[in-house]
Amino acid sequence: MERKAGVLMHVSSLPGKYGIGSLGKAAYEFVDFLAAAGLSLWQVLPLCPTSYGDSPYQSPSVFAGNPYFIDLDALIDAGLLCRGEVREYRLGSVDYAALYAERYDTLRIAFGRFIASPQAGYAEFKAKHGGVWLDDYALFMAIKEANGMRAWESWADEYKYRTADMNAFADAAEFYKFLQYEFYTQWQSLKAYANGRGVSIIGDMPIYVAYDSVDVWSNPRQFMLDADLSRKTVAGVPPDYFSATGQLWGNPLYDWEYMAERGYDWWIARMRNAFDMYDVVRIDHFRAFADYYSIPAGRDDACVGEWLAGPGKKFFDAVEAALGKKSIIAEDLGELHDCVRELVAAVGFPGMKVLQFAFDGNPHNEFLYTNYPENCVAYTGTHDNDTTRGWFDALDDNGKATVRRTIGYEGNAMAKTLVQRLFASNADTVIVPMQDLLNAPTSARMNIPSTTGGNWSWRSQDKWTAKAASIRKLVEKTKRI
């Protein structure tokens, strides 16, 4: 295995003047920074559209790209927009409410000019993706728009059950196909540029899908739903030392038996699309392929539920038979049953280690950098953790003393020190959130789990370019070029 290093930085966090990071100039400059720093991996969060709570892990489609990421300058250069038609923002946190209020109106102007004389690649794009996901997604969004963006379970029965004549929505659906064409075209250009500079892209795949999504609406048989398409059971995790009532996520669970009968065709299409977009895929909550927690729908918490067996290795055998051997990272964090560890070992995918979890005073803690196996991907923290500086600052005196004693360092430059220790570890791959390379405080945290409002909004102030030389020295010293 090659020793590699990379950065976790979502597209939304890139700098720029249009309110959110995009696939434009700053993204290419970020690739240049990674290449100059000797970093060969760029990990992003899910690139799908966001919905309630602005989370990329709750999306109306696991196939579609986020229209907010479309580079408006590219549309201006193509003559689809004029400068005066585009709102500019002061560089700061992402204001999703402001974007929602104006961005789609701006993109509709571009669509009006585009559709009068579509590019040659547009028909090819629709032919490639139409029957797989694009047609259903565009129709779903068109009907959703006509229903005031309400959840599909509240639609009139002829639309909820897909029995109506949908031709009336053809023109409205075309707008959403245009958005996906622009997103995918720009993303593939960026990915090709990154690959050409020696940078591979790690994508993130949530295990579950949102109930209010085209994925459930157009494929209800694949999920545990009642005859009225309401949820029978939902996903979550049981009570533990983090939460006395567990976590109630609310996502519909898969009907794994039915999926197996169909040869996992929906999942294979999803995985195929993911590997068209990314070089490596991290599967979030990987453990659900081994066993998953099933909660009866309608519960207010996760106290009542049961562990059920997932599809196991036969699922990944089917994926490999269809797609060939692919690079997958298994997010195997949390309290795991033996069946989860056995599945990770059987498929051979690298699991994850998070350094912030290492400091309980146990020298054998699996998250301590001195204990990492080669076949793992090690992080200082993830998108759900505080920044390393913020995490350390929030520890009490005893906690800080434990960290210092464990690593043999008495200073306060903890983010820098832990990054250095991570790079020097045995882990084949290390990934550091951009915030930790910038020594950013808690205000730069990406997400606080089980909360809404204020998450997913951090943006870089473009301070990373000056750090390329020092990072490259660390990469070279730890033989991760």
Side-chain angles (χ1 to χ4, degrees), residues 333 352-358 367 372 377-382 385:
L333 305 174
M352 288 176 55
K353 306 297 179 186
V354 178
L355 187 50
Q356 286 186 23
F357 298 160
F367 297 110
Y372 294 162
V377 183
Y379 299 76
T380 47
T382 72
N385 291 95

Side-chain angles (χ1 to χ4, degrees), residues 18 85 91 114 207 226 239 255 262-263 268 278 289 340 464:
Y18 298 126
E85 295 169 332
L91 181 58
F114 173 90
I207 179 74
D226 283 318
D255 186 336
R262 294 183 57 90
I268 288 171
Y278 313 115
F289 288 106
V340 183
W464 19 270

